[in-house]
Amino acid sequence: MGTKEKHLYYLNELSEYKIEDGYPDIRGWVVKDANLRNVGSVKNLLVNKKVEKVVYLDIEVDATIIDAEHDPYYDNTDTRLKEFVNEKGENHVIIPIGLVDINMAEDYIFSKTIDHNTFASTKRIRENSAIDRSYENAILDSYNRRFVHQPKTENVEREMENAELYKQERRENFTEPITDNDATIVSSEKNEVDWFNAQNETIDGEGNLEEDEFFYGRKEFDDSRFRKK
């Protein structure tokens, strides 16, 4: 029986790959959240060979993340991810490269949008774990909840504002037509990851070039800020 080809590789697995000239080697750099609180450090980089680019940072998380003892969840029909907790030894998370910025002067990475609580409530993995599309979707869901999870007491005007922001995000990220009906996803606590899954049923580890270009072509994976000026 043949072995399915992985769609994500750790950089140190790829002897023929190296960091492109013009990009800093951020391995070992500290990672900070939106409040500049330490989250961990960059342990490795994850590469998609089909699109030939780094798409995730592999983060070894700080003890404060583990000590938070949050139980992450993923509200999806996939029973493997319906409800899960972080277990002992799971001390890594991945972050899409487009969701972080770089401080070249002080050699650290930071997120403008993800806070410590979100990192603490995200599903973690063990070091060097194989990454499948289900875990990628769970990660994107965790980091994108800020767009869709609003308190029940929010007024109608705020909900409409969030719906418009949500549709704008979709227009920027996807090529399919966006209609006003798509805004109902906001109030039903879904997000663009669910929409992506409904439109593109990618099988773990078996995505073709077109599917990977679509998935990693979204702004969550835009690495332009990492190029040295």
Side-chain angles (χ1 to χ4, degrees), residues 191-213:
N191 63 18
E192 63 246 33
V193 175
D194 297 301
W195 182 88
F196 174 83
N197 291 340
Q199 300 295 322
N200 300 271
E201 297 180 357
T202 303
I203 300 173
D204 293 341
E206 296 180 351
N208 58 34
L209 176 59
E210 183 178 356
E211 289 169 336
D212 281 358
E213 285 180 338

Side-chain angles (χ1 to χ4, degrees), residues 20-220:
E20 184 180 352
D21 291 340
Y23 288 86
D25 187 349
I26 59 174
R27 287 172 292 183
W29 287 23
V30 168
V31 181
K32 300 186 179 187
D33 72 355
N35 301 308
L36 297 184
R37 183 176 176 180
N38 281 9
V39 173
S41 61
V42 182
K43 185 73 172 181
N44 215 327
L45 305 173
L46 280 157
V47 176
N48 179 272
K49 294 203 298 184
K50 291 188 176 70
V51 299
E52 297 185 329
K53 64 180 291 187
V54 171
V55 290
Y56 293 102
L57 312 185
D58 171 34
I59 308 302
E60 184 174 357
V61 301
D62 189 81
T64 57
I65 294 289
I66 297 174
D67 293 343
E69 295 183 345
H70 282 225
D71 290 343
Y73 69 94
Y74 185 70
D75 187 11
N76 191 277
T77 54
D78 186 342
T79 56
R80 294 173 300 169
L81 297 172
K82 185 69 175 179
E83 203 172 303
F84 49 66
V85 297
N86 287 316
E87 299 177 354
K88 185 176 180 179
E90 294 177 332
N91 63 343
H92 282 241
V93 296
I94 61 174
I95 307 175
I97 195 167
L99 294 186
V100 291
D101 284 273
I102 185 168
N103 185 313
M104 292 290 294
E106 300 181 42
D107 291 355
Y108 69 80
I109 303 301
F110 65 100
S111 171
K112 294 180 179 178
T113 56
I114 308 173
D115 62 17
H116 194 269
N117 183 68
T118 300
F119 280 117
S121 60
T122 296
K123 173 60 181 169
R124 299 192 299 268
I125 55 176
R126 288 178 170 80
E127 184 175 4
N128 297 323
S129 293
I131 307 296
D132 61 20
R133 190 54 53 81
S134 294
Y135 180 63
E136 289 182 86
N137 287 332
I139 285 291
L140 290 170
D141 177 70
S142 291
Y143 296 152
N144 284 323
R145 283 177 195 156
R146 66 188 184 279
F147 291 120
V148 296
H149 282 237
Q150 299 295 329
K152 300 299 182 182
T153 57
E154 290 289 329
N155 58 34
V156 174
E157 288 78 12
R158 175 60 62 84
E159 184 173 341
M160 291 176 64
E161 178 184 352
N162 288 332
E164 287 304 314
L165 289 173
Y166 176 75
K167 287 190 290 182
Q168 182 60 36
E169 288 285 329
R170 291 268 301 279
R171 290 188 180 100
E172 293 174 0
N173 284 308
F174 302 110
T175 58
E176 293 293 328
I178 306 301
T179 67
D180 287 339
N181 289 334
D182 291 319
T184 59
I185 299 176
V186 174
S187 58
S188 63
E189 296 188 339
K190 298 295 182 182
N191 63 18
E192 63 246 33
V193 175
D194 297 301
W195 182 88
F196 174 83
N197 291 340
Q199 300 295 322
N200 300 271
E201 297 180 357
T202 303
I203 300 173
D204 293 341
E206 296 180 351
N208 58 34
L209 176 59
E210 183 178 356
E211 289 169 336
D212 281 358
E213 285 180 338
F214 184 89
F215 190 89
Y216 298 118
R218 298 149 62 187
K219 71 177 184 178
E220 289 98 325

